[in-house]
């Protein structure tokens, strides 16, 4: 059975030489899946990445191939491959990544029973158009601990022994920097896989790969089995909110101490045996010490270490992760599905409760929700009294704008917000035409009058999508130019009808003032002469003005000709 009660620190190893190789996939006339390696060895509790590329015929029997589903599997469910995302044993531990025809499976918090052959499958719209990459990738998860200190040579010098040691692993490790511990204290400056030192009675040594110190080797004594050392019953513990845990450290020591205590690494708290705290309790005897934490909260997630004057606080302890169940949305060829997930679920059979719109659904006790899923409803699950958050399609989708009055060349930001779980992605539209890029923000760094229009956004998650109301952008600007036109444009004769018009490009619309020979004439857009006379001749100009600015036209000479010349 898989041990799902512990969450282990992340240690990413890839295939064989541990170098990640991602190839560029192409469409071909044949089906295929290629793996960068077919054998991977990884440590229990670490994270592994399995990359691949796939290919398929772009056309078959005069029909274009459309990929409908891609996933990883190890087992069959009623003869069909079971998507790992739907397997409760991998709950909350796997991630798929796709880029073009590149595919990658990431498994975190590896368990011993994760050792299996992993295959990638592609399903298309073609008749018989499904393909599984076989043989797949064989993953071997080695039992913790894997590292060990090997004593290569030992020599007597002046009453002490000189030891040469090697930090060894059954898994092939990438070129790494190492950490060595002596009596729980990090040996500064020692980063090689080999380490040499004078060691006395009571001294102990352990080693680890830098960056993955929680996967250190067992502590080794050098003069029989008697030395100072500590060992934690569990390196990682996963527990539900509101529950209780006991973190235990056994020790062997040469000397007793009254200063024994526990510490939390990130929270920098200290806990003594006489600590007066209803939630934290320390019990220490000659064989070990326990730290009990009750009524767990998210803030209790931390690493806890037992410290004495003879054992340093550098040595890794037990990492506690406090979580609750969550609903994961799975999209498959048959539609939407829901799975109740948590790293803290124990192995074996589970009994769950499902809720729809806050009401318990009778008969739904599987980790997988078996009824149809509607975007109109909310869903949650519960395990042993631990209730997940509800999942639902986006609602309350709103577009807000950082400005109320928009002037040309100003920066305008539209923000799309929604209430959604899982979190929504966003698409923007202007006058119902899609815009790029997406995201919750649409930024117009220097807005132009052509940006005026009606904008809205669509919020979408795995359960559905919802559109916002429209928001109008009306870009305002001062009059750019003022132009004077005359009708008729031909020679103007006395007693004829003449109209002068002032025009400009402005938002909001401009008001106009006319001038004759630099004297104010009228505040209208047009000057109309029903029967123009020779004394109306002169230089005419106009001024366009709105609240953002003004502009003046070039003077126009109006020369009225006497009919007597005809």
């Amino acid at each position: 059975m898989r041990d799902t009660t512990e969450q282990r620190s992340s240690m990413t190893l890839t295939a064989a030489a541990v170098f990640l190789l991602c190839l560029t996939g192409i469409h071909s006339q044949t089906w295929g899946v290629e793996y960068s390696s077919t054998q991977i060895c990884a440590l229990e509790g670490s994270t592994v990445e399995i990359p691949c590329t796939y290919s398929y015929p772009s056309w078959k029997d005069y029909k274009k191939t459309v990929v409908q589903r891609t996933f990883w599997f190890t087992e069959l469910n009623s003869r069909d491959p079971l998507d790992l995302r739907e397997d409760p044993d991998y709950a909350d531990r796997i991630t798929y990544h796709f880029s073009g025809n590149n595919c990658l499976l990431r498994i975190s918090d590896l368990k011993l029973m994760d050792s299996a052959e992993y295959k990638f499958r592609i399903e298309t719209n073609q008749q018989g158009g499904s393909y599984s990459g076989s043989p797949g990738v064989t993953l071997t998860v080695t039992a913790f601990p894997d590292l060990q200190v090997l004593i290569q040579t030992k020599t007597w010098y002046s009453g002490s022994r000189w030891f040469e040691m090697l930090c060894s692993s059954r898994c092939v490790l990438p070129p790494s920097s190492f950490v060595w511990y002596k009596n729980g204290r990090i040996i500064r400056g020692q980063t090689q896989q080999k380490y040499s030192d004078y060691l006395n009675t009571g001294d102990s040594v352990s080693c680890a790969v830098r960056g993955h110190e929680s996967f250190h080797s067992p502590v080794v004594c050098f003069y029989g089995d008697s030395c100072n050392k500590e060992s934690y019953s569990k390196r990682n513990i996963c527990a539900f909110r509101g529950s209780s845990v006991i973190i235990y450290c056994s020790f062997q020591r040469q000397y007793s101490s009254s200063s024994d205590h526990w510490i939390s690494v990130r929270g920098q708290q200290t806990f003594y045996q006489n600590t007066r705290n209803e939630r934290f309790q320390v019990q220490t005897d000659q064989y070990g010490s326990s730290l009990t934490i009750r009524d767990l909260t998210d803030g209790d997630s931390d690493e806890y270490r037992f410290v004495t004057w003879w054992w340093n606080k550098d040595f890794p302890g037990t990492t506690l992760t406090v979580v609750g169940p969550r609903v994961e949305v799975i999209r498959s060829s048959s539609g939407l599905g829901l799975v109740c997930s948590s790293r803290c679920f124990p192995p074996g059979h589970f009994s769950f409760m499902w809720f729809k719109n806050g009401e318990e659904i009778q008969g739904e006790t599987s980790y997988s929700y078996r009824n149809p899923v509607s975007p109109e409803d909310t869903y949650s699950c519960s395990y042993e009294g631990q209730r997940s958050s509800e999942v639902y399609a986006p609602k309350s989708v709103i577009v807000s704008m950082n400005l109320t009055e928009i002037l040309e060349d100003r920066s305008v930001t539209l923000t799309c917000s929604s209430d959604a779980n899982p979190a929504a992605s966003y698409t923007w539209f202007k006058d119902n035409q899609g815009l790029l890029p997406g995201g919750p923000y649409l930024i117009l760094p220097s807005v132009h009058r052509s940006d005026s229009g009606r904008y809205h956004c669509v919020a979408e998650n795995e359960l559905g999508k919802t559109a916002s109301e429209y928001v109008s952008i009306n870009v305002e600007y001062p009059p750019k130019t003022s132009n004077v036109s005359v009708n008729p444009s031909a020679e103007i004769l006395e007693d004829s009808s003449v109209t002068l018009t002032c025009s400009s490009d402005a938002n909001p619309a401009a008001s106009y003032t006319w001038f004759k020979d630099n004297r104010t004439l009228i505040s209208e857009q047009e000057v109309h002469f029903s029967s123009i006379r020779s004394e109306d001749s002169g230089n005419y100009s106009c001024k366009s003005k709105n609240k953002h600015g003004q502009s003046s036209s070039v003077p126009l000479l109006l020369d009225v000709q006497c009919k007597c010349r005809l």
Side-chain angles (χ1 to χ4, degrees):
M1 306 299 291
R2 291 179 171 85
D3 178 11
T4 59
T5 61
E6 297 185 25
Q7 175 191 11
R8 305 202 182 275
S9 303
S10 173
M11 179 176 181
T12 301
L13 297 175
T14 51
V18 202
F19 292 108
L20 175 63
L21 175 63
C22 288
L23 306 173
T24 302
I26 59 172
H27 302 303
S28 68
Q29 297 306 310
T30 60
W31 304 88
V33 176
E34 295 183 7
Y35 306 102
S36 59
S37 178
T38 57
Q39 299 287 333
I40 298 178
C41 177
L43 301 178
E44 181 186 15
S46 67
T47 296
V48 69
E49 292 181 345
I50 305 177
C52 74
T53 60
Y54 62 93
S55 59
Y56 56 89
S58 56
W59 292 83
K60 184 181 178 182
D61 298 331
Y62 304 103
K63 182 179 180 182
K64 182 176 176 60
T65 303
V66 177
V67 176
Q68 296 178 325
R69 189 183 179 201
T70 53
F71 61 96
W72 293 81
F73 70 97
T74 61
E75 301 175 356
L76 300 180
N77 181 19
S78 300
R79 292 202 226 170
D80 293 325
L82 175 63
D83 189 334
L84 290 180
R85 293 173 297 187
E86 301 178 26
D87 189 335
D89 289 329
Y90 292 91
D92 214 23
R93 296 194 297 120
I94 66 164
T95 308
Y96 292 174
H97 291 277
F98 298 101
S99 177
N101 286 59
N102 296 315
C103 40
L104 183 139
L105 167 66
R106 178 180 291 115
I107 310 174
S108 61
D109 191 20
L110 284 170
K111 315 297 181 186
L112 292 178
M113 291 303 295
D114 290 339
S115 295
E117 182 181 0
Y118 291 80
K119 300 177 183 178
F120 181 77
R121 182 172 176 83
I122 174 175
E123 296 179 354
T124 71
N125 62 329
Q126 300 287 4
Q127 182 71 27
S130 297
Y131 184 84
S132 300
S134 185
V137 177
T138 299
L139 171 64
T140 302
V141 181
T142 62
F144 174 82
D146 180 74
L147 292 176
Q148 57 180 325
V149 175
L150 299 180
I151 301 174
Q152 295 185 307
T153 62
K154 51 186 177 181
T155 309
W156 281 98
Y157 285 103
S158 302
S160 297
R161 279 189 176 181
W162 174 264
F163 290 87
E164 293 183 356
M165 294 155 281
L166 174 71
C167 191
S168 176
S169 172
R170 290 193 298 273
C171 268
V172 177
L173 296 176
S176 304
S177 177
F178 289 81
V179 178
W180 287 87
Y181 299 93
K182 180 179 178 181
N183 299 327
R185 182 185 299 275
I186 293 177
I187 303 171
R188 308 299 173 187
Q190 180 60 49
T191 61
Q192 301 301 311
Q193 192 170 4
K194 291 185 177 182
Y195 165 57
S196 301
D197 199 357
Y198 288 105
L199 299 175
N200 298 313
T201 303
D203 288 339
S204 61
V205 170
S206 176
C207 68
V209 175
R210 186 172 298 280
H212 310 288
E213 287 81 357
S214 61
F215 296 93
H216 59 79
S217 73
V219 176
V220 174
C221 300
F222 293 87
Y223 296 88
D225 293 329
S226 178
C227 66
N228 296 320
K229 63 179 179 180
E230 287 186 357
S231 178
Y232 293 87
S233 59
K234 294 179 180 179
R235 301 294 181 90
N236 294 272
I237 297 177
C238 184
F240 287 122
R241 301 180 187 97
S243 64
S244 299
V245 295
I246 298 177
I247 303 173
Y248 185 75
C249 174
S250 61
F251 51 72
Q252 177 179 294
R253 55 187 177 185
Q254 300 277 300
Y255 311 98
S256 61
S257 171
S258 60
S259 61
D260 301 347
H261 62 278
W262 287 83
I263 63 170
S264 61
V265 176
R266 291 185 293 276
Q268 297 183 343
Q269 291 180 285
T270 303
F271 311 99
Y272 289 91
Q273 184 154 335
N274 58 354
T275 296
R276 293 184 178 180
N277 189 311
E278 293 182 357
R279 294 184 56 236
F280 297 87
Q281 182 179 0
V282 176
Q283 292 289 336
T284 304
D285 57 28
Q286 59 181 328
Y287 302 107
S289 181
S290 65
L291 172 65
T292 302
I293 310 176
R294 297 180 176 87
D295 193 20
L296 288 170
T297 66
D298 290 349
D300 295 324
S301 295
D302 209 323
E303 182 185 350
Y304 295 87
R305 298 175 182 176
F306 183 66
V307 180
T308 73
W309 69 269
W310 49 266
W311 191 262
N312 193 267
K313 64 181 180 180
D314 291 343
F315 198 69
T318 294
T319 297
L320 170 64
T321 303
V322 181
V323 297
R326 69 182 184 90
V327 175
E328 184 175 355
V329 183
I330 304 296
R331 188 181 294 275
S332 65
S333 57
S334 59
L336 290 177
L338 303 176
V339 174
C340 197
S341 299
S342 175
R343 294 181 179 181
C344 289
F345 288 160
H349 300 286
F350 320 121
S351 180
F352 296 86
M353 296 174 63
W354 283 91
F355 299 84
K356 178 180 175 181
N357 299 325
E359 298 292 331
E360 182 182 351
I361 304 174
Q362 300 298 324
E364 277 286 356
T365 59
S366 171
Y367 73 95
S368 178
Y369 184 75
R370 294 170 295 182
N371 290 320
V373 177
S374 168
E376 305 297 324
D377 299 317
T378 65
Y379 302 88
S380 63
C381 67
S382 175
Y383 177 78
E384 291 190 347
Q386 296 293 319
R387 183 86 168 263
S388 74
S389 300
E390 288 185 320
V391 295
Y392 45 90
K395 56 186 179 180
S396 304
V397 183
I398 299 173
V399 174
S400 58
M401 188 160 44
N402 66 325
L403 298 175
T404 55
E405 185 177 76
I406 303 173
L407 301 182
E408 196 167 37
D409 297 327
R410 296 279 298 275
S411 177
V412 176
T413 300
L414 300 180
T415 301
C416 187
S417 60
S418 68
D419 179 13
N421 187 26
S425 59
Y426 299 95
T427 305
W428 287 93
F429 296 85
K430 176 192 175 187
D431 297 329
N432 294 322
Q433 298 297 315
L435 298 175
L436 292 176
Y441 303 104
L442 178 63
I443 300 175
L444 306 174
S446 181
V447 70
H448 188 266
R449 68 195 68 178
S450 61
D451 293 319
S452 295
R454 298 204 313 159
Y455 291 78
H456 78 282
C457 68
V458 173
E460 181 176 9
N461 66 9
E462 292 88 337
L463 290 168
K465 58 184 177 181
T466 305
S468 71
E469 297 290 337
Y470 288 91
V471 170
S472 293
I473 288 184
N474 180 30
V475 181
E476 297 185 356
Y477 47 91
K480 296 300 182 180
T481 57
S482 295
N483 298 306
V484 174
S485 60
V486 58
N487 183 32
S489 58
E491 183 179 47
I492 299 175
L493 301 177
E494 279 187 315
D495 299 328
S496 62
S497 176
V498 176
T499 301
L500 302 180
T501 302
C502 185
S503 62
S504 69
D505 181 15
N507 188 23
S511 60
Y512 301 94
T513 303
W514 281 95
F515 301 87
K516 178 187 177 186
D517 298 330
N518 294 323
R519 287 186 173 185
T520 302
L521 183 63
I522 190 175
S523 293
E524 298 287 347
Q525 186 175 8
E526 294 182 344
V527 177
H528 180 67
F529 301 92
S530 57
S531 179
I532 198 166
R533 302 177 63 82
S534 58
E535 54 264 31
D536 293 323
S537 297
N539 287 305
Y540 288 79
S541 65
C542 70
K543 180 174 68 176
S544 305
K545 181 180 180 180
N546 66 11
K547 62 182 178 179
H548 301 302
Q550 62 184 29
S551 70
S552 297
S553 71
V554 175
L556 172 70
L557 176 60
L558 189 64
D559 185 13
V560 180
Q561 301 295 320
C562 179
K563 283 186 177 181
C564 60
R565 297 192 314 166
L566 299 178

